[in-house]
Amino acid sequence: MKRLIKSIGLILVFSFAFGFLCVGYAKITRDLNIEGQADYIPPIDVFIIDAEAPAGGVINGYVMSTLNSTVTLDNNSNSSARFLVTVYNNTGEEYGYNATKHPAGEETYTNVDIAYRLIKADSGEELAFKTPVASKSHLTFYVEFYYKDGVVPDDKTLNSILLFEFLPMSELPEDEEEVAVRGALDKFGEILNTPEDYKTLTDSMDAHAAGNTRSYIGNVIDAGDTDSLIVEGLFEGELTLNINGENKEMTTIIKRENIDGSTRTGDSYDYYNFWERTGCEMVLYMTDVDLSTVSAGTRVTVYAAVFTCQQSSGGIPTGQWYQIGELFKGTAQVVAYSGASGNGSFNTDTWRSETNRTIENMI
């Protein structure tokens, strides 16, 4: 079930430029009149046309479908604050709510003790996955911030950048669980095909080659600050999103191994500095399960996608990396990151599809 995934890279780049470099503030009214300095054209899909802050809140700006805001809650554990947001569907087809994403990094979501949920303004219900927005119509909802677990922290202020993603109904996955992997899958292709990002990824993986059967890197528990920061930095927020009001943190392992059996595809690397492994594809394994709460040896849902490219006779990748096969849903056993006893990670060697096939047999 290979998905046609709409890239949001340009939106995030523009959002960062807007939020951090303050390149003019453009407020778009319901009539699409632009006030103040504006240096972009309203997009053709679903975008914010109005946003209102509550007491204790400030709207720092909004552009396309991204909201930059600051909120300060009070000393009551039940304290909350609602920002009113209206989006407009400027297309000729029906769109649906997919997820809310926020870029990784302390500067883009500064207080993990404050959570948020989206609530439809007309019904008071949470904004559900696939909530429709008809062609040339509006959808108004609240972004409600509140204390996570009802505990008042020392820091009561949150600065955040949230991207509300709406996609054509025809592009939305049937299974809500799959939402958590779609953005990461699309972003992984970009990483592999961006020379600087590819070098950052492979240099980091090479550092593990001498100590592991296969070269890999992840942002799982106990992966260490170095590995986790590298992975999350490369994905630029595509590993964090909100589904139906619930934050999802993606646990990801990227593994380099020969999946298609060919030595003339993928890339190559030195194992133990004298044994070359050739024809290695890049496999992205992803789960939205909180592995810290799962006992070692338990099998959990893990998605897998395989990417490859052609290579020269010298083992150098040539051309574009591309996905082979589909996005596969399977399970893998929970282990510690190093493969030792414990939890917090998963063993990619134990990955099996829903029909009990290995990843090699799925391609």
Side-chain angles (χ1 to χ4, degrees):
M1 66 183 164
K2 189 172 182 179
R3 304 287 183 189
L4 296 174
I5 303 176
K6 184 181 180 71
S7 173
I8 65 167
L10 290 176
I11 296 178
L12 286 175
V13 170
F14 202 102
S15 300
F16 277 115
F18 183 92
F20 298 115
L21 301 181
C22 299
V23 185
Y25 169 66
K27 179 180 179 181
I28 308 174
T29 70
R30 291 176 184 270
D31 297 323
L32 301 185
N33 296 317
I34 298 178
E35 302 173 359
Q37 180 183 348
D39 45 18
Y40 76 100
I41 299 174
I44 62 172
D45 49 12
V46 179
F47 56 96
I48 298 173
I49 61 170
D50 195 19
E52 301 175 11
V58 176
I59 295 173
N60 301 316
Y62 55 85
V63 62
M64 297 189 183
S65 60
T66 299
L67 176 70
N68 185 334
S69 68
T70 299
V71 64
T72 300
L73 303 181
D74 61 30
N75 289 319
N76 189 330
S77 61
N78 294 322
S79 175
S80 64
R82 289 183 170 186
F83 288 76
L84 186 66
V85 177
T86 299
V87 297
Y88 178 72
N89 179 2
N90 197 36
T91 73
E93 61 180 309
E94 185 176 58
Y95 270 55
Y97 171 66
N98 186 51
T100 300
K101 304 179 179 181
H102 57 81
E106 294 181 356
E107 73 280 3
T108 60
Y109 199 90
T110 63
N111 193 337
V112 296
D113 294 317
I114 297 179
Y116 65 90
R117 53 182 163 247
L118 307 187
I119 300 174
K120 292 181 65 176
D122 59 355
S123 66
E125 300 174 347
E126 289 200 5
L127 189 68
F129 173 60
K130 287 190 176 181
T131 295
V133 188
S135 170
K136 306 299 180 182
S137 69
H138 306 87
L139 173 67
T140 300
F141 57 91
Y142 294 104
V143 184
E144 182 178 64
F145 294 97
Y146 58 96
Y147 289 129
K148 185 177 180 180
D149 301 323
V151 176
V152 180
D154 292 334
D155 184 2
K156 304 175 183 63
T157 298
L158 166 68
N159 298 302
S160 67
I161 294 179
L162 301 178
L163 185 147
F164 311 111
E165 185 176 68
F166 292 84
L167 297 175
M169 283 294 192
S170 59
E171 294 185 15
L172 287 169
E174 295 180 4
D175 186 348
E176 181 178 330
E177 188 179 28
E178 295 174 27
V179 176
V181 302
R182 298 177 79 245
L185 181 64
D186 190 41
K187 184 62 179 178
F188 188 54
E190 294 179 20
I191 292 169
L192 294 177
N193 287 304
T194 302
E196 310 85 62
D197 290 346
Y198 175 76
K199 186 177 187 304
T200 297
L201 175 65
T202 53
D203 284 352
S204 303
M205 296 173 76
D206 287 344
H208 291 279
N212 300 302
T213 302
R214 297 182 179 91
S215 185
Y216 66 88
I217 190 171
N219 71 327
V220 296
I221 297 173
D222 293 331
D225 290 342
T226 300
D227 283 8
S228 294
L229 289 174
I230 287 171
V231 171
E232 291 172 4
L234 287 171
F235 278 90
E236 297 181 316
E238 290 296 343
L239 299 179
T240 304
L241 66 160
N242 183 283
I243 301 176
N244 199 20
E246 181 182 357
N247 274 338
K248 294 284 186 178
E249 303 290 339
M250 296 300 296
T251 294
T252 301
I253 291 180
I254 303 167
K255 194 172 185 180
R256 187 159 57 177
E257 55 187 325
N258 191 334
I259 298 297
D260 64 4
S262 171
T263 59
R264 295 299 302 274
T265 59
D267 69 359
S268 302
Y269 69 98
D270 290 332
Y271 177 59
Y272 283 116
N273 296 319
F274 63 85
W275 181 7
E276 185 181 41
R277 292 191 178 275
T278 60
C280 295
E281 277 66 49
M282 291 286 189
V283 187
L284 180 66
Y285 295 95
M286 300 167 283
T287 182
D288 61 357
V289 176
D290 182 359
L291 300 175
S292 66
T293 65
V294 181
S295 300
T298 303
R299 299 192 71 88
V300 296
T301 297
V302 176
Y303 292 87
V306 181
F307 285 75
T308 194
C309 67
Q310 301 303 307
Q311 67 171 236
S312 67
S313 58
I316 305 301
T318 60
Q320 294 285 302
W321 285 83
Y322 57 90
Q323 186 178 347
I324 54 175
E326 301 177 353
L327 173 63
F328 303 113
K329 184 178 181 180
T331 62
Q333 288 184 343
V334 173
V335 296
Y337 183 50
S338 62
S341 60
N343 62 354
S345 183
F346 53 88
N347 184 356
T348 57
D349 286 339
T350 66
W351 188 91
R352 296 293 183 272
S353 71
E354 294 179 301
T355 56
N356 200 33
R357 300 169 68 188
T358 66
I359 188 67
E360 291 85 354
N361 291 330
M362 297 297 291
I363 302 301

